[in-house]
Amino acid sequence: MSQTSTRNARAGTTEPAWVRYVLIAVALSFMFLFLVLPLAAVFTEALRKGWDAYWAALQEPDAWSAIRLTLLIAAVAVPLNLVFGVAAAWAIAKYEFRGKAFLTTLVDLPFSVSPVVAGLIYVLVFGAQGWLGPWLASHDIKIIFAVPGILLATIFVTFPFIARELIPLMQAQGNEEEQAAIVLGATGWQTFWHVTLPNIKWGLIYGVILCNARAMGEFGAVSVVSGHIRGQTNTMPLHVEVLYNEYQSVGAFAVASLLALLALVTLVIKSIAEWKQEREMKAAAELPPENPANRPAPAASVS
C-alpha cells in the first residue's frame, strides 16, 4: 500500500487533501459568520459604554427581576422534565404496551408545534375567556399572565429533550442487565440506581444541559402567556426585546450578553461531559476481555 493510501485510510476518507481543506474552511467560515461574529457583536455592543454602564444595566430592578424569574423557571422546569424524561424513556425502551407508538409521538409533539401555538393553547385553556378561565377567576387562581403560565409553557417546549436523549440509548442497551439484577433479587429501585442509571448517566447529563439551555432561552411560548409585565412576568429574552424596542441598546445587549454567557457555559459543560464519556469508552475498550472461568459466583442479592 502506498504512503498516500495509508494516510487516506488512516484519515477514514479517500478524497484528496484539498477537498478536506475546503470542507474544513467552509465549516470554519460558517462558524465564524453565524456564531463567533454575532457573539462578539453582542459583547462589544454591551460594553460599548464601559463596564459601569454594563453593570448598571444588569443591576436595574427590572433586569434583576427578569434574571431571577428566568433562573426560577429553569430550576423548576428542568427537574420536572428530568422525572418525566426518565419515566417516559424507561417505559418506551423497556416495555411493550398498547399505545407505545402514541406516547412516542406525544414526546415528539413540541418539536413539531410552534412555540407560539403552544402558548396560544395555554391561553385557550387557562385564559380569562378560555375553557377553565371562569372557574379559575372564581377561585382567584391566576395562570395566564403569571408565573404558573410561564412555567407550563416552558415545560411544554422543553420536555422532549431529556426523553429524546435517553430513549435511543436505553433501546440500544436492552434490558438484559436489569433482568439479571431482578433475578439476583434486586428491587426495582436498586435495579434503577445500580444498573440503569450508571448506563444512561451521560445521556441524562446531555439531556439536562439541553433542557436547561432551552428553558432559559425560550421566547415564543413565554411571550404569549406572560403578558410582558415588567418586573413581574418578563424573563430575560422578553426583557431584551422590551429594552431593544425602547432603544435602550446598552441594557438590551447587556442582558443578551448574560444569556450568551450562560449558553457558552452550557457548551463548555457539554464538551467536558463528552470528553469524560470518551475517556471512559476508551478505557473500557482497552480492558482485556474477561475470562468467564474467573468470574465470581453470583451474589444472592444486589445491594
Side-chain angles (χ1 to χ4, degrees), residues 168-194:
L169 180 60
M170 286 185 171
Q171 287 176 334
Q173 291 172 350
N175 57 4
E176 290 81 6
E177 294 185 17
E178 285 85 354
Q179 291 177 351
I182 292 173
V183 169
L184 292 174
T187 64
W189 173 251
Q190 289 173 330
T191 301
F192 173 77
W193 188 257
H194 296 285

Side-chain angles (χ1 to χ4, degrees), residues 166 169 173 196-207 280:
L166 295 181
L169 180 60
Q173 291 172 350
T196 304
L197 189 59
N199 289 335
I200 66 171
K201 64 179 181 179
W202 292 116
L204 195 61
I205 291 173
Y206 296 156
E280 286 190 4

Side-chain angles (χ1 to χ4, degrees), residues 93-248:
K94 303 296 183 180
Y95 300 101
E96 294 295 333
F97 55 91
R98 296 178 65 180
K100 178 177 177 179
F102 180 66
L103 177 58
T104 305
T105 302
L106 288 180
V107 170
D108 293 333
L109 184 62
F111 286 143
S112 57
V113 174
S114 168
V116 175
V117 175
L120 290 174
I121 292 173
Y122 284 107
V123 172
L124 175 64
V125 175
F126 300 109
Q129 306 300 323
W131 297 345
L132 302 179
W135 184 88
L136 293 172
S138 64
H139 291 78
D140 197 24
I141 300 175
K142 197 170 185 180
I143 294 181
I144 301 301
F145 303 156
V147 174
I150 298 174
L151 180 60
L152 288 174
T154 303
I155 291 174
F156 179 86
V157 298
T158 57
F159 81 77
F161 286 93
I162 295 177
R164 263 297 151 208
E165 285 290 330
L166 295 181
I167 289 172
L169 180 60
M170 286 185 171
Q171 287 176 334
Q173 291 172 350
N175 57 4
E176 290 81 6
E177 294 185 17
E178 285 85 354
Q179 291 177 351
I182 292 173
V183 169
L184 292 174
T187 64
W189 173 251
Q190 289 173 330
T191 301
F192 173 77
W193 188 257
H194 296 285
V195 178
T196 304
L197 189 59
N199 289 335
I200 66 171
K201 64 179 181 179
W202 292 116
L204 195 61
I205 291 173
Y206 296 156
V208 169
I209 291 172
L210 295 175
C211 180
N212 182 71
R214 179 63 186 273
M216 289 190 297
E218 174 55 31
F219 178 84
V222 172
S223 177
V224 174
V225 302
S226 70
H228 293 268
I229 304 173
R230 297 185 67 160
Q232 296 183 32
T233 62
N234 268 356
T235 58
M236 292 171 65
L238 300 183
H239 190 61
V240 170
E241 183 198 30
V242 169
L243 292 178
Y244 189 78
N245 289 337
E246 295 177 351
Y247 302 100
Q248 300 182 38

Side-chain angles (χ1 to χ4, degrees), residues 231-282:
Q232 296 183 32
T233 62
N234 268 356
T235 58
M236 292 171 65
L238 300 183
H239 190 61
V240 170
E241 183 198 30
V242 169
L243 292 178
Y244 189 78
N245 289 337
E246 295 177 351
Y247 302 100
Q248 300 182 38
S249 59
V250 173
F253 282 101
V255 179
S257 69
L258 186 57
L259 273 173
L261 186 61
L262 291 173
L264 291 175
V265 170
T266 300
L267 182 62
V268 170
I269 295 174
K270 183 176 182 293
S271 299
I272 293 174
E274 290 175 343
W275 174 69
K276 288 186 176 181
Q277 182 191 25
E278 186 177 354
R279 287 189 59 186
E280 286 190 4
M281 293 177 63
K282 287 183 178 179

